[in-house]
Amino acid sequence: MSRICLTASSRVGCIRSNNEDMIYAYDKFVRSDTYHTEFMVENVDRFVIALADGMGGHNAGEVASAEALANLQYFISDLPRGLSSSEFNEMLVVWLSSINQIIDSKGHVDPALAEMGTTLVGIIYYQGRYYWINCGDSRLYRLRNGQLQQLSSDHSLNNLTGQTKHSNIITNCIGAGCRNSYLDIYEFTNDFLSGDTYLICSDGLNDMLPDVTICGLLNEGATAAELCEAAIAAGGYDNVSVCEFKVD
């Protein structure tokens, strides 16, 4: 039996006036709030734990992140039973195309939402199999045996060129006129182990805190709220959102 103990927190930070991040934490959407839950994996058929970091003028970023997560949650809940791994992947690719069109179309209808977009990173459980997905530069980490490893790859100009001056420029996202959006999809069912801790975060965390600091805080048992507080104490230049969960 696998039990998951989850905390989630999303904060506006010290500089921004609104929060464009959002988390879907198993059964609750979290923005400018904190949440905790526990559940047994064997009692559910599927679930989503994901984070979206929106972008765009005015409130457009928060619209894009909310739309992407709500749509993903509905899509996964509505999937038929019995899909193979390859069929599941294919369905996710179709979903990405659909949500891209939905978000872009909202911008065409309402000029205030033009060019809005969002990142997306998360873990999906579907009928006994675990997958992680990523689009953009929000991150998925795993803490195992005290060591922190970034599982996702940043879809950013910095990651492509190694030049940190471009660290805020992403090369892949949902919406924002990105015509070649793609999802990294990785099944890791056989590598989802008891004792591991998973961390999903917006760049408001890892831009403020180096990985070694994040690792130390997780090893001390820090909750999502405590990680957000540490990022805010370090400057809090952006919205900061964190979801961490432990596998028992």
Side-chain angles (χ1 to χ4, degrees), residues 106-170:
K106 287 180 179 291
H108 294 313
V109 173
D110 183 350
L113 303 180
E115 299 298 314
M116 71 176 179
T118 184
T119 69
L120 177 68
V121 65
I123 288 176
I124 300 171
Y125 175 77
Y126 169 79
Q127 295 199 296
R129 299 194 300 271
Y130 292 91
Y131 303 83
W132 63 256
I133 61 171
N134 180 53
C135 178
D137 66 345
S138 297
R139 291 183 176 180
L140 169 66
Y141 292 92
R142 178 175 61 206
L143 183 75
R144 173 176 290 172
N145 299 324
Q147 301 297 311
L148 188 68
Q149 177 187 6
Q150 182 180 340
L151 299 183
S152 61
S153 295
D154 297 348
H155 301 156
S156 66
L157 194 58
N158 176 51
N159 199 38
L160 288 174
T161 66
Q163 299 179 25
T164 57
K165 66 180 181 179
H166 297 305
S167 60
N168 63 332
I169 299 176
I170 63 174

Side-chain angles (χ1 to χ4, degrees), residues 11-13 15-21 31-32 56-63 238-239:
R11 303 283 296 277
V12 70
I15 306 298
R16 300 295 182 90
S17 60
N18 66 307
N19 191 352
E20 296 182 313
D21 293 355
R31 171 179 282 154
S32 302
H58 304 289
N59 296 325
E62 66 186 59
V63 173
D238 197 356
N239 305 147

Side-chain angles (χ1 to χ4, degrees), residues 1-7 39 41 47 49 123 130 132 140-149 151 186 188-200 215 218-219 221-222 243-248:
M1 300 289 283
S2 296
R3 181 179 66 161
I4 288 180
C5 303
L6 176 153
T7 67
F39 61 95
V41 173
F47 65 78
I49 300 171
I123 288 176
Y130 292 91
W132 63 256
L140 169 66
Y141 292 92
R142 178 175 61 206
L143 183 75
R144 173 176 290 172
N145 299 324
Q147 301 297 311
L148 188 68
Q149 177 187 6
L151 299 183
Y186 184 77
F188 66 120
T189 303
N190 295 328
D191 200 27
F192 191 85
L193 305 180
S194 178
D196 289 345
T197 296
Y198 288 89
L199 172 71
I200 298 170
C215 181
L218 286 173
N219 278 315
C243 183
E244 64 85 25
F245 67 87
K246 300 176 180 64
V247 184
D248 293 331

Side-chain angles (χ1 to χ4, degrees), residues 41-47 79-81 125-129:
V41 173
E42 286 76 9
N43 294 337
V44 297
D45 180 65
R46 63 196 72 186
F47 65 78
L79 280 177
R81 294 177 57 85
Y125 175 77
Y126 169 79
Q127 295 199 296
R129 299 194 300 271

